[in-house]
Amino acid sequence: MNTSEILSLSSIVIALLALGVTFLQYRTTKKQAKSIHAKSLYMQYLKLAFDYPNYSSASYPLNAPTYKELFNNAEKFEQYEYYVAQLILAAEEILEVTDNNDKWEETLCDQLKYHALYLKSEYFPCHHSHASLHKLRINAIKKYELELAEKRS
C-alpha cells in the first residue's frame, strides 16, 4: 500500500468514527429532550394541582372523599372533569415520550389513584383515552380499593 492509499483509508475510518460519535450524541440529546419534555408536562400538571387543590385528590380522605361533594354540584363536577382530563392528557403524553418507562408509570398510577372514584365511574369516558392508559387506570383503581379495604379492616 502506498501513502495515498493509507491516507484514503485512514480518512474513511476517521469519517466513520465521526459519524458514530455524531449518532451517539444525537441519541443522547433526543433521550434528554424526551426526559425534559416529560418533566415539563408533569410540572404543568403539578402546578394545576397546586392551583386547584380541591380537585387534586378527590377520592380522599378515604372515609369522606371530596368526590361526592363535587359530584353533587354540576358546575364543580364539570370543572373537576376538565381537571382530570388535563391529568389524562399529560399522562398519555408522558407515557408516549418516555416509551412507557416503569418509573413514570408508577408515578402516573399514583396520581390517577387520587381520582379512582371518578375513573371507575360511568362518567369517565374511558374510550377517549389511549389504550396504554387503560392499564394504569385499572391499576390505580385497584391500589385505591386495596387502600380502602385496609383502612376498613
Side-chain angles (χ1 to χ4, degrees), residues 39-55:
K39 288 175 184 175
S40 173
L41 290 167
Y42 191 64
M43 290 298 291
Q44 288 172 20
Y45 168 72
L46 290 179
K47 182 184 179 329
L48 191 65
F50 283 115
D51 291 345
Y52 298 95
N54 51 328
Y55 299 145

Side-chain angles (χ1 to χ4, degrees), residues 34-35 37-39 91-105 108:
K34 284 181 173 187
S35 176
H37 184 58
K39 288 175 184 175
E92 287 175 340
E93 287 188 45
I94 290 168
L95 289 173
E96 185 177 324
V97 300
T98 62
D99 299 320
N100 295 338
N101 175 285
D102 289 343
K103 289 183 181 182
W104 274 110
E105 282 189 12
L108 295 171

Side-chain angles (χ1 to χ4, degrees), residues 44-61 64-67 69-70 76 79-80 83-84 111 114-115:
Q44 288 172 20
Y45 168 72
L46 290 179
K47 182 184 179 329
L48 191 65
F50 283 115
D51 291 345
Y52 298 95
N54 51 328
Y55 299 145
S56 66
S57 60
S59 294
Y60 290 86
T66 58
Y67 175 78
E69 284 178 37
L70 298 172
K76 286 184 178 181
Q79 291 171 346
Y80 173 69
Y83 175 91
V84 174
Q111 288 301 317
Y114 292 121
H115 308 283

